[in-house]
Every structure is written in structure tokens, then in C-alpha cells.
Amino acid sequence: MKAISIKQAALTVALGACLGMIVPSVATAQNVSGAVAGRATAGDLVTVVNRGTGLTRSATAGSDGSYRLGQLPVGDYTLQLSRDGAALGEPVSVSVAVGGTTTVNLASGGGVVNLDALQVVGSRVINRVDVYSTETSFNVNRQEISRLPVAQDLSAVALLAPGVVGGNSSFGGLSFAGSSVAENAVYINGLNVTDMYTRRGFSSAPFGFFQEFQVKTGGYSVEFGRSTGGVINAVTRSGSNEFEGGAEVTFEPNAWRSAARDHFHRDGSPHSYASTDATSFTKTNVWGSGALVKDKLFLFAMYEKRDTDGNNTSSDGRTWFDNTGDDDFWGAKLDWNITDNHTLELLAFSDETETTQASSGYNWDTQTLGQWGGDTLTDGGGKNWSATYTGRFGESFTAKAMVGQNNQRAFSNSTLDLYCDAVFTDATYAPYLGQLNGLRAGCHPTGTAIAERDDTRDAARLDFEWALGRHLLRFGVDRELMTTEQSTRYPGPSQMTYTAYAARPGDEVWDGANAYVPAGVNQMLRARNRVSGGTFETEANAFYLEDIWNVTSTLMLNLGVRWDRFENRTADGDAFIKMDDLIAPRVGFAWDIKGDGSTKLFGNAGRYYLPVTNNINVNFAGGLTDEYSYYVLNGWQQQSNPVTGAPYMAPVIGQQVGPTDTRMNTGAADLRQSVDKDLKAVYQDEYILGFQTMINQAWSWGVNGTYRRMTRALDDMRLNHTPCGPTGSTLWPIANPGESLTIWGDSSIGCAEEGWITIDTANSGYRKGGSGEVVGYSKPKRTYKALEFQLDRAWDEKWMFNASYLWSKSEGNFEGPVNSDTNYGDTGMVQHWDHPSNNERYGALFNDFRHQFKFRAAYALNEQWSFGSTLQVQSGGPVTAFGVMWPGDTVAGGSTSSEGSGGGTGWLCVANCTGTYDQRVFEPTARGAFGNLPWTWTMGANVTWRLPVDGIDLSARLSVYNLFNNQTVINVHQRYESQPGVYREATFKTGTRWQAPRYAQLVVAWNF
């Protein structure tokens, strides 16, 4: 015993040393394992052994013959049946996938009795129909991905799944089943790596670091939460008893990249000059893995050197940018099989990035480079780590504990931040650009705000499984503390941005200003001052309970409930948003119709809650200064860059017109008028019914239908009327539009007595500026209906094929917490509720792509040559017209000067548009009334060559993405009016984004 204790102590010391090297400091998990289950003779012992690590688990078949081995690390296993200590039959090799259950039914003699429902690949058996799953998900491992032309990132993997489309606005992202791009969750080995500030992105790692991916598009169980879109669940590689290593070099030279096209508005003004843009990318990946102690301690480690350089011009072709990147990756995974029943996993990786963008003046017409204009430096990413313990206590109880940390940094600054204000021109100013004499506006290289933000997620969770006869009880708790340290201001001595725009004499400079563009003035400047900062926390806690009940040998019920709690805090640590007792029931069933695991009918219903992102804390609980001032633009004068000496044009700022618009300011001291006292969480209800069956051991097909419904929003909304009367100034509280809103009433908003007041925002809250009519906001609603068909031919060492078709319909009056219609991505603070006219019409939403086809195939000609291809085809999204006013009001519901700000109404002025508000004649326009964008399709193809020499694993893979170089438009300007009745002829329905051009990639890999 003493010797054993000394040996364990030595291993602990060694483990601590490794932990000290790869984990910066100590202290989360989802389902990153799999299971094997089925039926055998009652009392027989079923044992599985991991072929790579020797990990051994056993379970005794119950009185009904059922057995289950859960919480198995992803990988290949050998399964053996035994009775009274004697092995029965031959061992069976089985594969265990992340989040799935492999069904193996065993005869009394040890043989597999459901082979017709399994596929045999080499010596392994794999089931294609998971009769223990009630969700819609897509699994793929690194070997399968290597056969296909799939870009090397997690988003590209997710896009293989039916119902997942790319976000077509400038902020990108992924849309799952009609949701917005800010509603998803991403996990790496159970660690939540979703961007906590806006939820539009996530931390990532190289493809070579991952072993398997699971994309959940709906129906996921109660252990997953904080998402109303989809879930990406990725598992990294691990070491084994076999020492292995490799090197992989990826080349993407610019010479293999097709040029993007230049794009112009109808009046000939440029939208974007892109034909000279260039990017070259090379990375070298080296990895090694093996056993530090055989059958006990395993290490996988990777380092990737990346070199990125390129250039691009500004949209107007007046500035040239040279871009370089420094984003080398390192990562490691340590696995310790303390015993067969107790394991510890340690993960650490860094996706830190640093990019430099050097700007120079540029003359597009002569293709000549001017003087250097300064550099912009941007930092991103961060260090991430987790530690997971799994313990098996007897055959019926398993416990898992996980702690971890996810870090993300966003920091940008420029060498000219101290000296140069940011100056822009918007699309309306195109007729006056000649005044700049071919020079850039302002001397700041990009105009990017000086923003420094560090986001840290500290996470911990406990998960338990307890088998009780026909019931598998699963329960657990998890906690995430998300901290944001942030400061933002504009560059330059005035710390303001200036945007030149075309104006019309007599127009009100901003709604409610009671000040108008002077006679004879047709050029104005819009100045903006925006400052925010502080340290803010959001805490999310959850508890879940789930009963997986095998009612019979062929019918399984999944009965679960999740309890969530969200708390957003001010910079002083006080809770200003607190949402308790968020109960999310989820119920599912799976019926193994034939009893052999080959055919299932499944369904589920559930509720899913979405937390409030940290940008709300920063902008409301820390105090936000966001002010607009308007000036006459008296032309331009040439000046010299104070650092580089390069010439530029500076605006000549004339008189200020009207007062400064301070309506967007929020104060941190007293939030009683800034946040609804009874704020409620956003949730979505979902219903799925599906069928899946095998045709034979290789072919299978399935069909499922999905219905989603979201009837609550959480956003800032315009409020200028309460039960006390008009507020005097406009309020912008965070609230649930269309529901009751409770804020503090006092003399500042017209209340004779202080106290809480409640407004039914479905019928009140907004007073029209002209008629004085008091109206409310339309109730939020978003629905998604889909029918999905899939046909799959599994890989058999020779070829594979998968085809899917999805019909879907996404309707409502709001997209979600972002607004892609107007390209506005400040999560939870968009324009859906900035004016009642912004949301009164229901119809086709931005992410409504009615038809989607996806195909993928791979074929091995022989051991030396193989080929792969993907094809994605989808119909275009709706084109909706956004106006600026609506009947009976003098306050604009859409911006008259900017494409980005302001929401936009569903009304277009058709007569007397220059008259007073009560003389104007409006006509309503429906969502999607201007048709749809064109269908798009993109094909990828690759060819892989392997050295035909035994014992040497050397390969080269050439992949071409967007093989036919389609550059079809995928998003357009949707603002129809610039003023009532003034059609935006130059821009409406012209493109803002297009498909990425064709490019090629060569990957050379040597594994040993």
C-alpha cells in the first residue's frame, strides 16, 4: 500500500508540473462523451476497452437484458461479452461518437444480433440510427472532414448541417433554424467559448486540434442552455499508448485566389473597390501525442505557425491598407486514467491574435500609392483552459466535475489616435466627392474607435448520471461568471467622428430638434461623441434534472426540466437585471419501431431561454455618452498629416444647427428609468417530429419537421409618454416591448408625485409628434417552420454521399437581438423598437431562405487517389423596403441621413410628401414586397494524393472553394427613402455583400 501511495504521489507531482506548464491558473463541461447501450442476456457482463488508452468499463445486463455504458470518451472500443468470468463470442469493435449512443444488441452466445442495423467499416461497427436520441443533430469527425473540401474553421463545419446558413450582414455569424446570428452557443471539450459581449462569435482552434464535431440544430437536452439558435459541440484530440506525430503545411497563395469584383451604385458612385484586394496565407502545424505513462497518462500537444499578409483598398478607393497578422496557436490536452473508473482531463489553448494594418493614400484611377498614413494595431483572442474529472462509482452512478476559463480580448489603436479625428462621407455625399481632389477625408487611417475590452468567463459545473432500473437520472448544476473590462472613445483631439452628408434646406436636423437645415445649405456634418467604460459582471446559474425512461425495450421517454437564473451587474457590483426561476421543460421520445435499432420515430418539445449579453451592462450600467451634433459643412481644406506629412482634406466646420441630441445618453447612477423593474427573459418554444430508417447497412434516410416560436423581445425602446403624460425628453429603457413596463416616475418626466409607474407598451408609451395620438408597440413574434429530408450513404472505405433538402419559412416582426435588415449588430440595442413604426408589420424575415439543398460526396479511386465535393444551393432572402415616416407623426421612424442608424418604417410616402405631416399620403408596404434576392450556389472540390509506400503516411490535398467563382449578391440596401417621398434611387436594392471569390488551398501532411 505504501509503495502504491508513493507511486500515486509521484504521478500527482508530475501531473502538477504539466498543469503548471500549460494552464495559467486553475479553475466547465457539457456532454463531450458518448455511450454504448443495447440488450444482452440478463446477468451477463458487457465490457468495453478503449483501443488507444486501455480504459476499461463494464456493465451487467439488467433483469430485462438492457445494459448501458455511459460517459465514454470519444473513440474506438473493443466490446466483449462474458458470463461467469468466461468470454463469449468474438470481441466486437465499436465506435463511440460525441453526444451519441451506439446500439449493440448481443445474442446469448456473444454475437451481434442487430448487424443489419449497423454498418461495418473495417473491423468497426457503427450505428447510423441513434434510437436513444430525441434531438436533430449532425456528427462528423476529422477523418470524414479530410475527405471533403471544407474550409478549416468551425463555422464551415456547422454549415454542412441542414438549416444552418451564413449571416449575410457585415457582422457575419451563423443562423440556425431561422434564429439570428446572436443566439448560438459553442463548446470546446465542454468549455463555453461563445463571445459573451455580443454572442456573435466564439473562440476557436485549428482543424487539426479537433477530433469530432457535433452540430445541434434543435431539440437538445436540458444540460444545454443559454441558446435559442443552435449549438456547436467540438471535442479535441487526445493522446494514446501509441506515440504519434506529424507536420502539416497549408498554402493559400493569392495567385490561387480569384479577384473580387468592383461594385457601384446606380449613379456610378462606388460601393466598394475590391478587384485589387489580395491575401496570402501559410501555416505550419506540428503535433505530437503519446503515453507519458502507459495506460495512465497521455499527452496531445500542437503548435501552429501562421503567416498572413495582404492588402485592400477602402470602399471609395482612396486609401490603401497593407495587412499582416501574428496569430500563432498553441494547445495541449492531458488525460490521466487514475483508474478505470476515475479520469482527469486538462485542456489549454491560446487563440491570441495581433494584426497590423498600415494605411497609405491611394489614387484608384492611376493605381498609384501615396504617403504612409499610419498603422492600426488590433489584438484579439485569448488563453483558454479547463479541467474535467469523471468518476464512476459502481455500475450505476457517474459524476463529472469541470472548471475552466475562456478569455477574449478586443483592442485596437492607431499611431494617429492622438492627432487625427475620424472623418467619413456617407452614401448620400457621393455627388460632392470631387471636392476632395482625390485625397482622403481626414487623416485617421481607419476611423476605428479606440476600444479596449477584455472578456473573461469563469465557469464551473457538476453533472451526474444514476441508473435505476429502466430509468437513467441525469442532473447537474453549472455557473458562469462573465466579466467585461471595457473602455471606448473615438480618436483625435476632439474625440468625435464627423460624417459628411447631403442635406436639403428645411429638413429637421434630427427629429424633435425643432431646428432645420438653413436655406442654401446642401452639405452638413453629423458629429458623434461616444464614450463608455468600466468593469461589469453577469452571472448565469442553472440546475437541470432529466429522466431517460426506457418504458419498454423499444420506447424511450426523455423527461427534463432546466432552471436558469441570470443576473447582470453594474460597475459597482449591484444587480440591475435579475431574472429568477426561469423554468424550461423539455420532453422527448424515441421509438425503436423494429426493435433492432434500424428505424426510429422521434419527437420533442421544449423551451429555451436567452441571457442578456454584457454589452447591455457596459452601455446602461456603466453610463454611456452617445451624443450627436449637426453642423453646416463649409467645404474642405487641404492639410498635412501631423505624423506622416501626407496631404488630406479636412472639413471646414460651420455653425451648429440645433441643440446636441443627447437622447441616447444613459446614466449609471440611477437606472430606475433606464431598465424595466420587472424585466423578463427572452425564450423560445420548439417542437420537432422526425423519422429515420436504414435502407441497408450503408444507406439511410430521414425526415423531420420543426416549429419554433418566439413571442418576447428584450431591447432598448423609445418611450415619450407615460400615465403621467408626455415625458418631455425621450427615454430609452431596456424593456420587453409589447408588454407592461415599470419605471420610476418623477418630475423629470412629468409626474407630479414620485413612485413606480407602469405602462402597457402594447397600447401606450409613444405619443406621435404631429397628431399627439398615443399608441403602443406591436407585440413581438417570430416563427420558424421547416421540413427537412436527408438521404445518406455512409463511407465504406470506397465512397460516401449525403443529400439534404430543407423547406423553411421564417416570419415575424423582428429578427432577434440583432437587425441584419439595416446591418446593425449591437446585440440587444438595435432598432426594432426605436419607433412603433419599425415593428408593426409582420412577414418574411431576413433569415428566411425558403429552399436549401446541401450535397457532399467522397470517392476513393484507389489507395493513392481520392476525391471529394460539396455543393450548397439556396434561394435568396426577402427584399423589404424601409421608409422614414408614417401617418400622423413628425418624428422619423427611419434615418434620413444614414444607411446604418435608425430602423425604418413600413410606410412609403406617395403624395404631398413635402407638405406638413397631416397632408402626406402614405401607402403600407409589406415585408418582402420587393421580391427576393437571387438563388445562390457554391461548389467545392478536392483531390488527395497519398504516397503509395507502406509505413510512410505522406499526403497532399488540393481543395478549391467556390469552384465556379460565383459572386452573386447576398445582401442589398433596403432603405427605400431618404426623405418622405424621396426615393434612394442610387442605392435601393443595390448590393452590400456578395459571395466570396474562388480560392484554392494545398495541404501537405506527414504523419508518423
Side-chain angles (χ1 to χ4, degrees), residues 640-967:
S640 297
N641 188 304
V643 174
T644 68
Y648 71 95
M649 300 300 285
V652 179
I653 303 175
Q655 70 181 71
Q656 181 172 347
V657 181
T660 298
D661 183 358
T662 61
R663 295 173 299 169
M664 299 301 291
N665 291 347
T666 61
D670 188 349
L671 298 177
R672 292 179 298 176
Q673 288 179 1
S674 300
V675 180
D676 180 4
K677 178 186 177 184
D678 300 318
L679 195 64
K680 303 176 185 66
V682 173
Y683 68 88
Q684 179 171 262
D685 290 328
E686 178 185 69
Y687 307 89
I688 296 175
L689 182 65
F691 173 82
Q692 188 178 3
T693 185
M694 294 184 66
I695 301 171
N696 54 41
Q697 288 187 322
W699 288 90
S700 62
W701 71 276
V703 58
N704 67 76
T706 299
Y707 176 75
R708 286 179 163 188
R709 179 183 176 93
M710 182 179 282
T711 56
R712 176 174 292 160
L714 187 152
D715 214 304
D716 64 332
M717 64 181 298
R718 183 193 296 258
L719 187 69
N720 65 9
H721 191 276
T722 74
C724 301
T727 60
S729 60
T730 302
L731 303 177
W732 297 92
I734 290 289
N736 301 120
E739 301 184 38
S740 293
L741 161 66
T742 301
I743 59 172
W744 186 255
D746 57 25
S747 59
S748 69
I749 59 171
C751 294
E753 298 181 3
E754 291 192 356
W756 295 104
I757 57 175
T758 299
I759 307 103
D760 178 9
T761 65
N763 301 294
S764 183
Y766 179 76
R767 183 176 184 269
K768 292 186 177 182
S771 65
E773 178 188 5
V774 176
V775 297
Y777 288 80
S778 301
K779 289 184 177 295
K781 180 181 178 182
R782 186 183 78 188
T783 61
Y784 174 80
K785 306 168 187 175
L787 190 62
E788 172 195 321
F789 299 88
Q790 278 211 64
L791 177 67
D792 185 78
R793 203 277 183 186
W795 177 255
D796 62 353
E797 307 292 350
K798 188 65 177 178
W799 69 288
M800 61 79 63
F801 175 77
N802 179 274
S804 67
Y805 166 71
L806 180 81
W807 175 91
S808 64
K809 192 174 185 180
S810 182
E811 296 179 298
N813 65 338
F814 80 114
E815 177 187 358
V818 298
N819 189 5
S820 299
D821 285 321
T822 57
N823 210 34
Y824 204 88
D826 198 2
T827 305
M829 295 180 61
V830 290
Q831 309 126 329
H832 299 306
W833 319 102
D834 285 2
H835 194 282
S837 63
N838 293 1
N839 58 82
E840 63 170 344
R841 56 180 171 174
Y842 296 82
L845 294 173
F846 183 86
N847 294 309
D848 179 42
F849 302 100
R850 203 61 56 91
H851 306 280
Q852 298 173 45
F853 297 86
K854 296 187 179 183
F855 304 89
R856 59 183 186 273
Y859 174 72
L861 181 64
N862 49 44
E863 292 184 0
Q864 186 174 359
W865 293 96
S866 59
F867 306 88
S869 182
T870 59
L871 174 64
Q872 297 188 15
V873 183
Q874 70 181 37
S875 57
V879 179
T880 299
F882 290 87
V884 296
M885 305 295 291
W886 71 332
D889 201 353
T890 59
V891 179
S895 176
T896 59
S897 60
S898 168
E899 280 281 326
S901 63
T905 79
W907 297 85
L908 303 179
C909 187
V910 295
N912 302 326
C913 299
T914 58
T916 59
Y917 79 91
D918 54 344
Q919 295 178 330
R920 295 170 180 160
V921 179
F922 292 92
E923 287 186 356
T925 173
R927 281 186 169 272
F930 284 78
N932 287 76
L933 292 170
W935 282 64
T936 60
W937 64 277
T938 181
M939 174 177 280
N942 69 356
V943 56
T944 302
W945 170 86
R946 298 185 181 278
L947 183 68
V949 177
D950 291 340
I952 301 179
D953 186 359
L954 178 66
S955 65
R957 182 175 68 249
L958 178 66
S959 301
V960 182
Y961 303 95
N962 192 4
L963 180 64
F964 292 90
N965 196 30
N966 296 324
Q967 296 187 37

Side-chain angles (χ1 to χ4, degrees), residues 126-140:
I126 304 168
N127 68 295
R128 295 299 171 188
V129 178
D130 187 349
V131 295
Y132 292 89
S133 173
T134 65
E135 66 184 11
T136 54
S137 63
F138 164 78
N139 277 61
V140 63

